Amino acid sequence: MSASDDASGPTLQAIVRRVEGDEATLTLFNDDVNREELAALQSYFDVQTVSFRRGRTEDGLPRNFLVLHDDEEFRAAASLADVFPAIDPNSSMLAASEPDGIEYPDLLREIDQSVFTDYGRRRMTVASREIEEHAYRHGGRLHAGFQSLSNAKPQERLYRNLAAADDVETHLYGAGDWTPPGDHVLHESDDPEILRSWFVVLDAPDDRDKRALLAEERDDGRFYGFWAYDPDIVAVILDRLTAFPPTAGSGL
């Protein structure tokens, strides 16, 4: 029996289709950035439910300042220098191996729920870093789906360090074409639902720390999905993941 035949809730792909994005606006004030940086910003938000705009203040200060708002309601602000490392297509976060060295911008955490429509693998990796870093700092069960476990090879050291951290239990999902080193609970599966999904889900002790990134690969290397900080949405995803029980590791 495939996982789609059991009673553990909607499939991962169905969850992606049901979630609606948080409609917010991010305005860059008084910018003097180069074309490449501006293009990276526009590209990052063009495929999200967050609208990106440019604006100016009367005195032209401060320079290169970002404000996140919903209609007229202020939500967060930060300098572009603080946010750009998570937006840069060549972000240093891609090669992160030490969880305590990940610095994810607080402003992006304020986007409660965002749908994205065309993320490549590099952008998916950077987007996952916020949840991985949060797991390291707050503990919990971290569920990560790589489609195939061999896709975790570039992140092997990071996940080995996460598994060794206090109060973190790592659950890795994917086709069993490789055995990741470290104290992980493996959920090996060649079910199409797993092979088409990329996810990082933190089941933290405190509801305020629960979060999830879930995406479906609709075209080769292109992902459609969302991230959310709503514990109810996280619970729906976790319920679905029970359809893929542990096959190896310390969870048996």
Side-chain angles (χ1 to χ4, degrees):
M1 181 178 70
S2 70
S4 59
D5 295 323
D6 64 35
S8 55
T11 66
L12 297 174
Q13 286 75 35
I15 296 170
V16 168
R17 290 190 288 271
R18 292 181 185 184
V19 170
E20 296 181 355
D22 176 25
E23 295 183 2
T25 299
L26 186 70
T27 302
L28 173 63
F29 285 99
N30 310 317
D31 68 274
D32 57 6
V33 299
N34 60 43
R35 290 182 180 179
E36 290 77 14
E37 290 177 318
L38 185 60
L41 277 166
Q42 292 172 326
S43 173
Y44 184 84
F45 291 105
D46 276 351
V47 294
Q48 294 186 30
T49 51
V50 177
S51 298
F52 174 69
R53 299 176 183 172
R54 300 165 74 187
R56 296 196 67 81
T57 58
E58 289 186 4
D59 60 1
L61 295 173
R63 307 295 294 176
N64 300 318
F65 197 69
L66 289 162
V67 176
L68 181 70
H69 50 102
D70 182 359
D71 293 328
E72 299 302 319
E73 182 180 349
F74 170 84
R75 294 171 61 173
S79 70
L80 177 60
D82 288 339
V83 174
F84 196 74
I87 293 173
D88 184 0
N90 300 310
S91 173
S92 60
M93 292 186 186
L94 287 165
S97 60
E98 299 296 335
D100 59 355
I102 298 172
E103 296 183 3
Y104 199 83
D106 288 337
L107 180 142
L108 296 183
R109 299 181 200 266
E110 292 297 322
I111 303 173
D112 295 330
Q113 195 165 291
S114 181
V115 170
F116 51 85
T117 57
D118 189 15
Y119 268 23
R121 293 185 183 278
R122 291 168 65 87
R123 188 169 284 180
M124 287 293 296
T125 299
V126 173
S128 301
R129 292 292 183 254
E130 191 275 337
I131 301 176
E132 294 155 352
E133 180 265 346
H134 209 76
Y136 178 77
R137 299 191 186 281
H138 298 276
R141 293 186 178 91
L142 183 66
H143 299 260
F146 294 96
Q147 300 179 295
S148 296
L149 291 177
S150 60
N151 287 337
K153 286 182 179 180
Q155 304 179 68
E156 176 269 321
R157 184 177 175 186
L158 173 64
Y159 270 82
R160 183 153 40 91
N161 289 334
L162 283 167
D166 292 339
D167 302 321
V168 178
E169 183 178 289
T170 51
H171 291 249
L172 307 185
Y173 298 71
D177 57 349
W178 181 62
T179 301
D183 188 20
H184 308 295
V185 181
L186 302 183
H187 300 249
E188 298 163 302
S189 174
D190 58 2
D191 189 297
E193 185 175 347
I194 291 294
L195 299 181
R196 290 166 47 206
S197 300
W198 181 316
F199 55 87
V200 183
V201 185
L202 176 59
D203 184 13
D206 191 321
D207 277 356
R208 293 172 297 181
D209 294 318
K210 293 181 178 180
R211 53 206 58 215
L213 170 74
L214 173 61
E216 173 188 6
E217 185 176 20
R218 295 187 176 175
D219 297 304
D220 188 25
R222 312 308 300 177
F223 293 84
Y224 179 102
F226 66 89
W227 66 77
Y229 300 91
D230 184 333
D232 292 334
I233 294 176
V234 172
V236 172
I237 300 171
L238 290 170
D239 184 54
R240 182 57 188 170
L241 292 180
T242 62
F244 307 98
T247 55
S250 59
L252 293 180

